[in-house]
Amino acid sequence: MNTGDDLNLPSDTSQDVLMKQVTDFHNRLHLANVRLQRLRAETLEEPPLDVHSIQIQGGPCEILIEPPRFAVRVNQAVALRDADGTTTAEVDATFVIDYTLDEGPEPSEEAVSTYVESNTYFTAHPYLREVLQNATLRLGLEPVVLGVLSRDQPRPTEVTLVRRAPAPEAASG
């Protein structure tokens, strides 16, 4: 007779414990502010440039926990490339995401790290989208709009390039 003891099925795995800690931490956080801390944008060639693709590279996040404040600094480097894959412009942005943290137990480093890895990019993404669209427009390029994120993928896989409609030609008389 099988009692279940020989199945080696843990009743509560370490992953389940971690996810509960992350959920508890998340439930104690309240978004207070997202601000641009640093912005650098430059063209490496003279406009007009034909942007065919972009590459986004995120640097490691920096975390500050000083209850009731929890802050994450997010660094993003965006390379705009032409049809040959040559980088023709760059936009680097650093955002600080500020939260208030309700009282409670101090979260484990692993819970904080897991939370930051799975949530911070989603919080910063709309702000990066706005900064990138504005920066490319100010650089004299067609404005670039980042695609929508999917929760099952940590980074965008598709980038939509916004193209201005050509001006209508004047009617000849």
Side-chain angles (χ1 to χ4, degrees), residues 15-158:
Q15 188 65 25
D16 291 337
V17 170
L18 176 61
M19 288 297 98
K20 181 177 180 344
Q21 291 175 356
V22 170
T23 299
D24 291 345
F25 181 60
H26 174 76
N27 290 336
R28 293 175 41 216
L29 288 174
H30 307 281
L31 184 62
N33 191 22
V34 179
R35 62 188 166 84
L36 182 63
Q37 186 178 52
R38 184 182 64 83
L39 175 63
R40 183 189 66 81
E42 68 177 312
T43 56
L44 305 175
E45 297 178 13
E46 286 298 313
L49 303 174
D50 194 13
V51 177
H52 280 280
S53 66
I54 70 169
Q55 179 184 15
I56 302 172
Q57 187 168 11
C61 293
E62 298 172 52
I63 300 167
L64 171 71
I65 301 179
E66 291 179 343
R69 181 179 182 213
F70 173 66
V72 181
R73 185 181 349 220
V74 180
N75 300 296
Q76 300 289 316
V78 181
L80 294 92
R81 298 192 168 149
D82 63 15
D84 297 328
T86 303
T87 299
T88 57
E90 297 174 334
V91 178
D92 296 326
T94 300
F95 298 93
V96 175
I97 304 169
D98 277 308
Y99 301 88
T100 56
L101 177 62
D102 292 342
E103 288 187 30
E106 185 172 328
S108 69
E109 280 187 35
E110 189 176 15
V112 171
S113 176
T114 300
Y115 177 83
V116 167
E117 286 300 314
S118 60
N119 289 289
T120 301
Y121 192 79
F122 285 91
T123 302
H125 187 74
Y127 299 90
L128 178 62
R129 178 187 291 128
E130 187 276 331
V131 163
L132 184 59
Q133 184 176 3
N134 190 333
T136 52
L137 183 64
R138 290 182 178 269
L139 289 172
L141 309 175
E142 293 292 325
V144 172
V145 177
L146 295 180
V148 176
L149 292 178
S150 173
R151 271 291 184 186
D152 62 344
Q153 297 175 344
R155 300 289 184 260
T157 58
E158 180 179 327

Side-chain angles (χ1 to χ4, degrees), residues 159-171:
V159 175
T160 304
L161 302 179
V162 176
R163 303 282 185 197
R164 291 187 196 127
E169 292 185 31

